[in-house]
Amino acid sequence: MLQKKPLILVTNDDGITAPGIRMLIRIMNEIGDVVVVAPDKPQSAMGHAITINDALYCDPIIIEKNALQKEYSCSGTPVDCVKMATRQILNRKPDLCVSGINHGSNSAINVIYSGTMSAAVEAGIEGIPAIGFSLLDYSIDANFEPATTYVKTIVENVLLNGLPKGVILNVNIPRLEKKEIKGIKICRQADAHWAEKFDKRTNPMGREYYWLSGEFINEDKGEDTDEWALQNGYISIVPTQFDLTAHYFIKELNNWTLHD
Amino acid sequence: MLQKKPLILVTNDDGITAPGIRMLIRIMNEIGDVVVVAPDKPQSAMGHAITINDALYCDPIIIEKNALQKEYSCSGTPVDCVKMATRQILNRKPDLCVSGINHGSNSAINVIYSGTMSAAVEAGIEGIPAIGFSLLDYSIDANFEPATTYVKTIVENVLLNGLPKGVILNVNIPRLEKKEIKGIKICRQADAHWAEKFDKRTNPMGREYYWLSGEFINEDKGEDTDEWALQNGYISIVPTQFDLTAHYFIKELNNWTLHD
């Protein structure tokens, strides 16, 4: 299908040794020349954080013997990894950046907290076609096998069709056996949020501290949402953008009494 | 103008002692009942990061004698501060959340890296009208005085008109004397990006490390952008959203061969 081997940058937010990225590397090795630049430790929920007040380390690392891919372990955030890859490590702009496969959902509002998706978004900002993949299973022994053919199909479509400037794909995969997955649905981001609770505790020195926890609340029942797709056995793809302007509200704002 | 005193949550990403937030608190004290929940240290460029694998501390703090406001210093990110405020500290949903005044620009793509704006976005996700304010001056002795009447005007407009669900305001203020500021412009986010450079050094142990630096590149010459407004002496307001769906691309994606 493709004439020459594409250069594929692989990253994630669960860290370079996470089973999800190891699977993604294996799939990408079937498609292109793979370079991995990923965090040296878990960096979940880091959003679009970058490291501006600390030094960054980024070293070559061998995780698999006789591996096809080149790998670099980076002390920074997922977004740092993408910047480091494109500006320091790679000799040319990659043809694709894939991030994940994340252990856990990045559907709905989770896209904004997600290090996995922020890495893909950063690649998109740099003009690289990019996809974030997430499986709805947090566990270390999550089964990524049912997702593999779908991941390959989506990647091949992006390499073939390209993506418009400013658009990346947010792919979420339900925790199902392969035969239970009904297919792929193109969706919008569900209008859901977290209802946080803070678990208040006292440390051995007598000082109070808190753990963030919470419940995911989805009151958006739209059948065009990623949440609906995932709950109904589909893989969801949300085209995602980083122009955050609420264009529709500009006209209304111009009617406010903000001017002298 | 307003019947009862609004409850205003104030936060930032430069830390609770930064001159920018101290000025914002002073302005907000003229408008409502103020509660401050802000980071105990600088948290710039933290994006929408949240703390999920660490304990959070959040303690009352007195910074000014006989202050009108109540203040809490939090060990977490700007987004953590907003969650902590709304879920743990405040008895009721605030009428407004203001974040800043940031030392440095959050125009164009900076919105996505900004802890200041991410705090405002988080408040928006929780259904609270929210505004992020930033001054285009990084220095500790930045002059926030010229901005004060504009900040007040914008806040009063938001309290009066409200904001639609899913929209927050990103306000950037040029580094000018008051008489040089031409007014306020409603804008879209300029399509600009950073061209990063990594400064490679060697630590005393002989290990190579990097500092992230870079140059801001704006090739978007649109006169409807925040960059244009700021360069031409205006305060920019970009209505900003957290539905990241690229709705316009859904139809096109449905034409891809993603289905069996």
Side-chain angles (χ1 to χ4, degrees):
Chain A
M1 189 164 82
L2 295 155
Q3 294 308 304
K4 71 173 175 77
K5 267 195 153 184
L7 176 61
I8 303 176
L9 171 63
V10 180
T11 191
N12 77 341
D13 76 355
D14 291 316
I16 198 163
T17 61
I21 195 172
R22 306 319 303 174
M23 173 62 92
L24 191 55
I25 294 164
R26 278 199 289 282
I27 305 169
M28 292 308 108
N29 274 335
E30 295 174 22
I31 297 175
D33 293 322
V34 175
V35 177
V36 181
V37 183
D40 62 7
K41 56 190 169 295
Q43 291 271 3
S44 291
M46 282 303 281
H48 215 93
I50 54 174
T51 304
I52 56 170
N53 289 316
D54 256 317
L56 284 171
Y57 290 91
C58 188
D59 301 303
I61 186 171
I62 294 170
I63 295 178
E64 297 161 9
K65 267 189 191 171
N66 306 316
L68 293 167
Q69 72 278 5
K70 283 186 188 160
E71 302 199 43
Y72 299 82
S73 171
C74 177
S75 63
T77 66
V79 172
D80 289 331
C81 290
V82 172
K83 288 184 188 292
M84 186 65 79
T86 55
R87 306 294 183 186
Q88 186 66 30
I89 293 170
L90 299 173
N91 296 321
R92 69 171 184 94
K93 197 176 191 174
D95 300 296
L96 179 74
C97 172
V98 289
S99 182
I101 302 172
N102 190 58
H103 293 242
S105 173
N106 282 318
S107 61
I109 196 65
N110 297 310
V111 65
I112 215 167
Y113 302 101
S114 162
T116 301
M117 274 308 297
S118 293
V121 167
E122 180 63 26
I125 293 169
E126 299 187 20
I128 302 159
I131 317 167
F133 292 100
S134 307
L135 176 70
L136 275 63
D137 189 343
Y138 284 97
S139 63
I140 184 78
D141 56 357
N143 181 14
F144 292 96
E145 203 60 50
T148 53
T149 54
Y150 290 101
V151 168
K152 208 171 167 183
T153 299
I154 293 164
V155 164
E156 285 173 344
N157 265 270
V158 167
L159 287 170
L160 189 68
N161 300 312
L163 283 171
K165 190 173 183 301
V167 173
I168 53 271
L169 301 186
N170 183 13
V171 178
N172 281 275
I173 301 153
R175 188 175 62 175
L176 294 172
E177 294 302 318
K178 196 176 173 189
K179 63 178 188 293
E180 297 171 316
I181 297 177
K182 288 185 190 155
I184 292 172
K185 268 216 185 300
I186 313 301
C187 307
R188 66 173 173 86
Q189 172 187 325
D191 180 19
H193 68 281
W194 286 87
E196 286 84 6
K197 281 183 189 166
F198 285 94
D199 184 3
K200 192 175 183 175
R201 301 186 183 184
T202 305
N203 77 8
M205 309 296 284
R207 189 171 169 205
E208 284 172 346
Y209 68 97
Y210 301 87
W211 284 106
L212 175 60
S213 68
E215 191 189 351
F216 185 69
I217 309 281
N218 179 25
E219 287 168 346
D220 183 347
K221 300 302 174 204
E223 298 192 0
D224 56 345
T225 63
D226 51 2
E227 286 302 313
W228 188 93
L230 292 162
Q231 277 164 28
N232 287 274
Y234 292 93
I235 289 170
S236 66
I237 302 183
V238 177
T240 299
Q241 63 186 14
F242 46 84
D243 174 4
L244 306 189
T245 312
H247 290 276
Y248 75 93
F249 194 58
I250 287 179
K251 197 177 163 191
E252 171 75 20
L253 266 182
N254 272 313
N255 294 329
W256 285 19
T257 53
L258 293 166
H259 310 286
D260 299 330
Chain B
M1 191 163 78
L2 295 156
Q3 295 307 307
K4 73 175 174 74
K5 268 195 155 185
L7 176 61
I8 302 176
L9 171 63
V10 180
T11 191
N12 77 341
D13 75 355
D14 291 317
I16 198 163
T17 62
I21 195 172
R22 306 319 303 172
M23 173 62 92
L24 192 54
I25 294 164
R26 279 199 287 284
I27 305 169
M28 292 307 109
N29 274 333
E30 295 173 22
I31 297 174
D33 293 322
V34 175
V35 177
V36 181
V37 183
D40 61 8
K41 57 190 166 297
Q43 292 271 1
S44 291
M46 282 303 281
H48 215 93
I50 54 174
T51 304
I52 56 170
N53 288 315
D54 256 317
L56 285 170
Y57 290 90
C58 189
D59 300 302
I61 185 171
I62 293 171
I63 294 178
E64 297 161 8
K65 268 190 190 169
N66 305 316
L68 292 166
Q69 72 278 6
K70 282 186 188 160
E71 301 199 46
Y72 299 82
S73 172
C74 176
S75 64
T77 67
V79 172
D80 288 332
C81 289
V82 172
K83 289 184 186 290
M84 186 66 80
T86 55
R87 307 293 184 185
Q88 185 68 30
I89 294 170
L90 299 172
N91 296 319
R92 71 172 183 91
K93 196 176 192 173
D95 300 296
L96 180 74
C97 173
V98 289
S99 181
I101 302 171
N102 191 58
H103 293 242
S105 172
N106 283 317
S107 60
I109 197 63
N110 297 309
V111 65
I112 214 167
Y113 303 100
S114 161
T116 301
M117 275 307 297
S118 293
V121 168
E122 180 62 27
I125 293 170
E126 300 187 19
I128 301 160
I131 317 168
F133 292 100
S134 307
L135 177 68
L136 275 62
D137 189 343
Y138 284 97
S139 63
I140 184 78
D141 57 356
N143 181 14
F144 293 96
E145 203 60 52
T148 54
T149 54
Y150 290 101
V151 169
K152 209 171 166 182
T153 299
I154 293 165
V155 164
E156 285 173 344
N157 265 270
V158 168
L159 287 169
L160 190 67
N161 300 312
L163 283 171
K165 187 172 184 305
V167 174
I168 51 271
L169 300 185
N170 183 13
V171 179
N172 281 275
I173 302 153
R175 189 176 61 174
L176 295 172
E177 294 301 319
K178 194 173 175 190
K179 63 177 187 297
E180 297 171 315
I181 297 177
K182 288 185 189 154
I184 292 172
K185 268 217 185 299
I186 313 301
C187 308
R188 66 173 172 85
Q189 172 187 326
D191 180 18
H193 69 280
W194 286 87
E196 285 85 6
K197 281 184 189 165
F198 285 94
D199 185 2
K200 193 175 181 175
R201 301 186 183 184
T202 305
N203 79 9
M205 309 297 284
R207 190 172 168 205
E208 285 173 345
Y209 67 97
Y210 301 87
W211 285 107
L212 175 60
S213 69
E215 192 190 350
F216 184 69
I217 310 280
N218 179 25
E219 287 168 346
D220 183 347
K221 301 301 174 202
E223 298 193 1
D224 56 345
T225 64
D226 50 3
E227 286 302 314
W228 187 93
L230 292 161
Q231 277 164 28
N232 286 276
Y234 292 93
I235 290 169
S236 66
I237 303 184
V238 176
T240 299
Q241 63 187 15
F242 46 84
D243 174 5
L244 306 189
T245 313
H247 290 276
Y248 75 94
F249 193 58
I250 287 179
K251 197 178 163 194
E252 171 74 19
L253 266 183
N254 272 312
N255 293 329
W256 286 18
T257 53
L258 293 166
H259 309 286
D260 299 330

